[in-house]
């Protein structure tokens, strides 16, 4: 799809809001939304004379994320002021980390088209989020500081990705890890997870990286992928036409499907980082790190291997179920309680994923308990209902949350295997379709399937297909 002589190079900076109850330097709530400027106090609105005190949970969560991505944890780390003036940040600086981040040198393993690859992480640092600006027609720009001081971690990757598919796999894996270690809800529609895409291209075989563009603030993986596709093509075209790529910040225009320049490197801010004099260094003992490590749950990589071995899932299916802890737990409980875990997996992959749209999958709200899916699978496995009736039952479970056994009972969906009952129906069907019977007798094999079809129709799909087939063969040969 791209010019065959070129290679794409991608590095990502992922911002993730931590799920602490209170903000990073004050006691205000981190809850999403709320009336503008009601989740604020003098500290998070940057009043002169106030002093920040770090929320201990933020440090713990950052270390959890670091350990889950094989990072080194800094024994000594500090917080710095990143100075910039923009009205979404009333202090006129953001407290972040510059040269001594809390975590460094980690990695995330991904799998793309059956191939495994390791993406290195440069660092994970903690920082505070900024507020939001609302550009209201007629009213000018309004500032909502509710988000000011919500704790973030920024996860920076090395430029190790070579395609948008690898970038997407990295983002999905990272999100899965962050959700499993329970440091963030990773809700993309609420901006809890957003990323900046750094992308350059170079001729295959060339050693040095090309000049990169940075596409800011993507809050949807599919938009990020589209932006990468567009940006790679744009850069290749510029180079092919003899032009030069300039280092710049761009943004994705979803309506037009293009990236647009925001500012070039010459206009880039000089952030004048310096250590925040109001905050103590963050000193972390080895005991503390060990303690946090011991509290980590089973991580996605280990679960994936387990699902493949224990339930016979493909690597692809296993990865799909690890999209969120909620989905993974749903699968595990449904599989544990069923006679056939592989069939459970097929129902989730087929019906459930079809009904959950792309962006919902991460927070998937399935309207029934996993045990109900086990029951449905068990009903089919033991032949109480046919597969096609199973689909009807499933639909009703989805719409009403009713127990499948109850649905089968109330709707009289039980599979009919009784030979006497089916013989009566068969005789009726044959009597009503003399032409098809004749076709069959004169050697037209297809006619038989048509008779089976009539039988299924006459029993609303509830006849046991095996019994029907045997019965028809028997009657027709008489
Ligand atoms: P900045 O501080 O300006 O954002 P960094 O050097 O910290 O710059 O890099 C930020 C991100 O850009 C990292 O994720 C890194 O992997 C990526 N990156 C750096 N150079 C390139 C390049 N030539 N092509 C693609 N990505 C790059
Ligand atoms: Mg950057
Ligand atoms: Zn506050």
């Amino acid at each position: 799809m791209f010019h065959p002589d070129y290679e794409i190079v991608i590095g990502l900076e992922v911002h993730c809001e931590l799920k602490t109850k209170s903000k990073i330097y004050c006691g205000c709530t981190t809850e999403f939304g709320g009336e503008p400027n009601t989740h604020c106090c003098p500290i998070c609105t940057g009043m002169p004379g106030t002093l920040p005190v770090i929320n201990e949970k933020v440090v713990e969560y950052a270390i959890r994320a670091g350990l889950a991505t094989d990072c080194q944890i800094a024994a000594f780390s500090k917080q710095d002021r990143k100075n910039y003036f923009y009205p979404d940040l009333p202090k006129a600086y953001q407290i972040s980390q510059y040269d001594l981040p809390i975590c460094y040198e980690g990695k995330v393993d991904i799998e793309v088209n059956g191939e495994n690859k390791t993406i290195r992480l440069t660092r994970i640092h903690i920082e505070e989020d900024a507020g939001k600006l609302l550009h209201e027609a007629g009213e000018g720009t309004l500032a909502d500081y509710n988000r000011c001081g919500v704790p973030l971690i920024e996860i920076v990757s090395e430029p190790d990705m070579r395609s948008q598919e690898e970038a997407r796999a990295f983002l999905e894996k990272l999100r899965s890890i962050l959700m499993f270690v329970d440091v963030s809800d990773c809700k993309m529609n609420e901006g809890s997870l957003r990323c900046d895409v750094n992308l350059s291209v170079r001729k295959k075989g060339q050693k040095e990286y090309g000049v990169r563009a940075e596409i800011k603030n993507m809050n949807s993986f599919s938009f990020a992928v589209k932006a990468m596709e567009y940006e790679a093509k744009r850069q290749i075209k510029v180079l092919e036409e003899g032009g030069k790529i300039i280092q710049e910040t761009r943004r994705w225009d979803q309506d037009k499907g293009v990236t647009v320049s925001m500012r070039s490197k010459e206009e880039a801010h000089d952030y004048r980082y310096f250590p925040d004099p109001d905050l103590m260094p963050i000193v972390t003992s080895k005991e503390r790190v060990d303690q946090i490590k011991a509290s980590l749950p089973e991580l996605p990589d280990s679960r994936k291997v387990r699902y493949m071995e224990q339930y016979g899932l493909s690597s692809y299916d296993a990865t799909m179920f690890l999209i969120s802890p909620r989905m993974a737990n749903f699968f595990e409980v449904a599989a544990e309680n069923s006679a056939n875990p592989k069939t459970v997996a097929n129902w989730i992959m087929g019906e459930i994923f079809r009904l959950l749209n792309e962006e919902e999958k991460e927070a998937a709200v399935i309207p029934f308990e996993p045990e109900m899916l086990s029951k449905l699978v068990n009903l089919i496995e033991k032949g109480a209902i046919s597969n096609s009736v199973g689909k009807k039952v499933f639909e009703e479970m989805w719409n009403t949350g009713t127990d499948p056994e109850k649905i089968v009972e109330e709707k009289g969906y039980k599979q009919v295997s009784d030979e006497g009952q089916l013989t009566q129906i068969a005789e009726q069907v044959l009597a009503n379709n003399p032409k098809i019977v004749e076709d069959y007798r004169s050697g037209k094999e297809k006619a038989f399937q048509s008779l089976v079809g009539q039988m299924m129709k006459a029993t609303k799909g509830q006849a046991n297909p095996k019994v029907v087939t045997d019965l028809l063969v028997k009657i027709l040969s008489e």
Side-chain angles (χ1 to χ4, degrees), residues 3 6 24 32 61 85 90 114 131 151 178-179 186 194 229 273 291 312 314 343 354 370 393 395 443 456 459 464:
H3 195 300
Y6 288 87
I24 184 167
F32 178 76
Y61 284 1
F85 179 75
L178 295 169
M179 288 172 92
C186 294
R194 357 189 251 270
E229 283 169 359
Y273 278 101
Q291 203 179 35
S314 69
T343 314
R354 183 173 60 77
V393 175
E395 208 174 292
M456 296 314 277
T459 57
N464 182 328

Side-chain angles (χ1 to χ4, degrees), residues 70 74 189 312:
D70 282 327
N189 56 349

Side-chain angles (χ1 to χ4, degrees), residues 48 92 95 148 159 162 177 197 282 287 299 321 374 453 456 472:
I95 305 177
C148 267
R162 294 291 172 269
I177 292 171
V197 174
I282 301 168
E287 290 71 39
L299 294 175
F321 296 155
S374 324
M456 296 314 277
L472 285 175

Side-chain angles (χ1 to χ4, degrees), residues 172-391:
E172 281 174 349
K173 183 64 172 290
L174 191 60
R175 179 176 64 187
S176 168
I177 292 171
L178 295 169
M179 288 172 92
F180 271 97
V181 297
D182 209 20
V183 300
S184 173
D185 60 23
C186 294
K187 283 185 188 160
M188 308 215 45
N189 56 349
E190 295 184 2
S192 307
L193 196 72
R194 357 189 251 270
C195 74
D196 301 339
V197 174
N198 295 272
L199 185 147
S200 62
V201 299
R202 64 178 170 187
K203 277 267 169 73
K204 278 183 186 157
Q206 180 184 314
K207 248 192 138 58
E208 319 75 58
Y209 291 130
V211 176
R212 74 187 143 114
E214 179 172 5
I215 312 161
K216 283 278 184 199
N217 245 324
M218 308 293 315
N219 59 6
S220 141
F221 291 170
S222 36
F223 290 175
V225 165
K226 283 189 189 135
M228 288 181 232
E229 283 169 359
Y230 175 87
E231 182 59 18
K233 279 190 191 152
R234 185 191 69 85
Q235 291 186 14
I236 292 169
K237 184 157 179 278
V238 169
L239 295 175
E240 278 298 291
E241 287 169 356
K244 263 197 156 139
I245 304 296
I246 51 161
Q247 193 174 332
E248 62 181 350
T249 305
R250 301 177 72 88
R251 71 180 171 81
W252 172 243
D253 183 327
Q254 171 59 19
D255 294 332
K256 299 206 178 78
V258 298
T259 62
V260 196
S261 181
M262 288 166 74
R263 55 177 185 264
S264 70
K265 202 187 175 191
E266 285 75 62
E267 305 159 58
H269 300 287
D270 172 5
Y271 292 124
R272 296 171 295 124
Y273 278 101
F274 67 88
D276 192 305
D278 291 339
L279 287 157
M280 298 289 281
I282 301 168
V283 177
T284 308
S285 68
K286 189 178 172 304
E287 290 71 39
R288 180 86 181 109
V289 173
D290 289 343
Q291 203 179 35
I292 296 173
K293 198 181 260 171
S295 76
L296 291 181
E298 187 186 14
L299 294 175
D301 277 339
S302 150
R303 278 182 206 249
K304 180 169 156 185
V305 173
R306 186 160 62 79
Y307 289 0
M308 290 167 71
E309 285 172 357
Q310 199 171 332
Y311 304 118
L313 297 195
S314 69
S315 157
Y316 180 81
D317 289 7
T319 305
M320 291 294 284
F321 296 155
L322 290 166
I323 193 152
S324 69
R326 235 206 292 211
M327 185 59 79
N329 290 336
F330 187 94
F331 166 68
E332 286 186 30
V333 173
E336 281 310 319
N337 289 290
S338 88
N340 192 341
K342 189 79 182 71
T343 314
V344 165
N346 291 342
W347 277 90
I348 299 177
M349 288 299 288
E351 297 302 302
I352 294 185
F353 280 173
R354 183 173 60 77
L355 290 160
L356 296 170
N357 74 39
E358 191 62 22
E359 304 293 331
E360 268 175 359
K361 268 181 217 151
E362 75 202 53
V365 185
I366 299 170
F368 50 77
E369 296 300 310
E371 289 86 354
M372 293 208 203
L373 182 61
S374 324
K375 279 189 191 176
L376 175 66
V377 167
N378 293 345
L379 285 167
I380 299 170
E381 286 288 313
K382 67 180 188 213
I385 57 172
S386 66
N387 210 43
S388 63
V389 169
K391 290 233 162 103

Side-chain angles (χ1 to χ4, degrees), residues 372 376 379 385 389 392-398 400-414:
M372 293 208 203
L376 175 66
L379 285 167
I385 57 172
V389 169
K392 279 199 254 181
V393 175
F394 178 86
E395 208 174 292
E396 195 156 336
M397 283 162 66
W398 187 270
T400 65
T402 312
D403 187 291
E405 287 171 358
K406 203 165 161 220
I407 297 171
V408 169
E409 202 55 51
E410 281 177 359
K411 297 259 159 142
Y413 275 159
K414 274 230 162 70

